[in-house]
Amino acid sequence: MDRGQALLASLRDRCREGGAPRHAGELLMTDTGTPPADGDVTASRTTDITAGPGGVMTDEVGVVTGELTLRTELRSGQVVLRVQYKDAAEWYVVTGGRATLADPADLDAVHAIAVGLLNRPEG
């Protein structure tokens, strides 16, 4: 295991045989999707987008769809793309959305390219 993951033990419903009686909701298994404190981020750009057909693949929860916010963060020469459902609290790392950035001035271009690839309001 890595990325802050831990084993989870299940508690059986002692009244009946089988699965859990209720839906677990949006239970996050790791905290790697949480963006670093703003003091750790050198620079960032944020844009609201609409995911295209198939959504946006993330490391933590798989595909996310619909109205999203894209954040491109630069920290210690590393750029990371993160998305969240619009106005939600949880951030998720876009799968394949990490790279080394040679010049911090390129952050705007990287963000513009990411928006161009992920923003598909018309499908």
Side-chain angles (χ1 to χ4, degrees), residues 12-22:
R12 299 191 98 173
D13 184 348
R14 299 191 199 306
C15 298
R16 58 178 124 142
E17 199 72 18
R22 293 181 295 270

Side-chain angles (χ1 to χ4, degrees), residues 17-85:
E17 199 72 18
R22 293 181 295 270
H23 176 61
E26 294 182 20
L27 178 64
L28 296 178
M29 303 314 250
T30 67
D31 64 351
T32 58
T34 305
D38 285 336
D40 295 342
V41 175
T42 307
S44 68
R45 304 293 182 268
T46 305
T47 302
D48 290 336
I49 63 171
T50 302
V56 176
M57 180 62 77
T58 67
D59 292 346
E60 295 84 6
V61 296
V63 176
V64 293
T65 60
E67 299 294 317
L68 306 172
T69 300
L70 172 68
R71 178 173 165 149
T72 305
E73 301 172 347
L74 179 63
R75 178 176 54 172
S76 302
Q78 295 291 314
V79 66
V80 178
L81 300 177
R82 297 179 192 273
V83 292
Q84 71 175 170
Y85 288 105

